[in-house]
Amino acid sequence: EVQLVESGGGVVQPGGSLRLSCAASGFTFDDYAMHWVRQAPGKGLEWVSLISGDGGSTYYADSVKGRFTISRDNSKNSLYLQMNSLRTEDTALYYCAKGAGDYGDYVFDYWGQGTLVTVSS
Amino acid sequence: DIQMTQSPSSLSASVGDRVTITCQASQDISNYLNWYQQKPGKAPKLLIYDASNLETGVPSRFSGSGSGTDFTFTISSLQPEDIATYYCQQYDNLPGFGPGTKVDIK
C-alpha cells in the first residue's frame, strides 16, 4: 500500500525558514517523480515543485522560485522541501504527491494528508 | 502560463441527477487534463487522467471527455458520497489547477 506521510510544518515568522519532509513507502521510490502541492486555507490547489526520480531535474512554480528548494534522498525514501524567505502568502497545507509514472509524471496518483505551514508574526 | 477556468464554481443537485462540470484552458493542452475529487478535510483523489481515462477503482459513474481547450467532467448519477470539490489540472507544461467546483446535495 502506497503511503506518503508529511512532517515539519509549523508556525514561522515572515522571512523565516522551514524544512518539510515526506516519508514514502509501498512503492519503488526512485522510480517516480515527486511533487509538492499546497492549499491555502479555504482556497484551491497550487502546484509548488517537482523533482525527477533520480533527483537530477527540478521545477518550481514562479511564486516560490528562488526561495524554495526541493530535494530527495532515495536511500531513505524521503522527499524534502526547504522553504526560505517565507511570506504570509505561503501559509498553506502542503501536500506531498507521487507522480503516476506509467501515465505521466504530472498525474498525481497518491497524496499524503498534508502538513500545515503558518507564516505569521 | 496556461490559465484554467471551471464552471460552475458551485452547484447543488439531487441524488440521482446527472452533474456536468466544464474546464477550459487558455491554450491547446491536447488531452493533458486530469480531474481530482477533494472531500472536506481530506487530500485530493485522482479520478480521471488524460481527459477521459478512469483511474483504477473509481466508480464508472464518473467520466471525462474533451481535448484541446474544452473539457467536461460528468457524474452520471449523483450519490451522497460525491459531495466534494472537483478540480481539473493541466500538465501541458508545468502543472496547474482550475479553481474548483463545489458540489452539494440539494
Side-chain angles (χ1 to χ4, degrees):
Chain A
E1 178 193 6
V2 172
Q3 285 198 325
L4 300 170
V5 180
E6 302 93 337
S7 61
V11 180
V12 61
Q13 292 188 338
S17 299
L18 213 53
R19 188 195 196 207
L20 306 184
S21 299
C22 172
S25 60
F27 64 102
T28 304
F29 186 64
D30 55 8
D31 278 351
Y32 296 92
M34 296 294 295
H35 300 258
W36 289 99
V37 178
R38 69 184 181 183
Q39 186 169 36
K43 302 297 184 183
L45 300 168
E46 180 188 14
W47 174 80
V48 173
S49 185
L50 152 72
I51 187 167
S52 60
D54 64 3
S57 298
T58 58
Y59 303 89
Y60 299 91
D62 287 343
S63 57
V64 307
K65 200 175 296 181
R67 300 188 298 122
F68 289 11
T69 302
I70 191 171
S71 63
R72 64 192 295 160
D73 185 338
N74 287 344
S75 69
K76 295 182 178 179
N77 287 355
S78 292
L79 174 72
Y80 306 101
L81 186 68
Q82 177 65 44
M83 304 186 296
N84 298 332
S85 302
L86 281 162
R87 305 167 180 167
T88 55
E89 56 264 36
D90 295 319
T91 294
L93 187 63
Y94 283 74
Y95 292 104
C96 160
K98 172 184 166 291
D102 286 350
Y103 38 92
D105 286 343
Y106 295 112
V107 180
F108 312 128
D109 60 351
Y110 289 93
W111 298 64
Q113 287 306 301
T115 187
L116 182 62
V117 173
T118 303
V119 184
S120 173
S121 54
Chain B
D1 287 4
I2 298 172
Q3 304 304 314
M4 305 299 293
T5 58
Q6 280 183 241
S7 61
S9 56
S10 65
L11 66 90
S12 289
S14 300
V15 173
D17 281 355
R18 183 180 185 87
V19 168
T20 299
I21 299 168
T22 62
C23 177
Q24 187 168 56
S26 59
Q27 64 189 68
D28 190 334
I29 59 169
S30 185
N31 68 330
Y32 300 140
L33 193 285
N34 308 316
W35 290 95
Y36 298 85
Q37 175 193 65
Q38 187 178 32
K39 296 183 178 180
K42 299 295 186 181
K45 175 186 175 183
L46 176 67
L47 299 181
I48 303 284
Y49 63 94
D50 292 349
S52 60
N53 294 295
L54 194 67
E55 171 70 336
T56 302
V58 173
S60 59
R61 65 180 180 273
F62 297 101
S63 64
S65 64
S67 66
T69 61
D70 296 301
F71 301 86
T72 300
F73 172 81
T74 300
I75 307 173
S76 61
S77 177
L78 186 68
Q79 300 302 304
E81 60 267 31
D82 300 336
I83 300 312
T85 300
Y86 293 85
Y87 294 93
C88 61
Q89 174 240 326
Q90 64 80 20
Y91 62 103
D92 180 67
N93 189 2
L94 295 180
F97 291 91
T101 296
K102 186 175 182 180
V103 175
D104 281 328
I105 296 287
K106 192 182 296 181

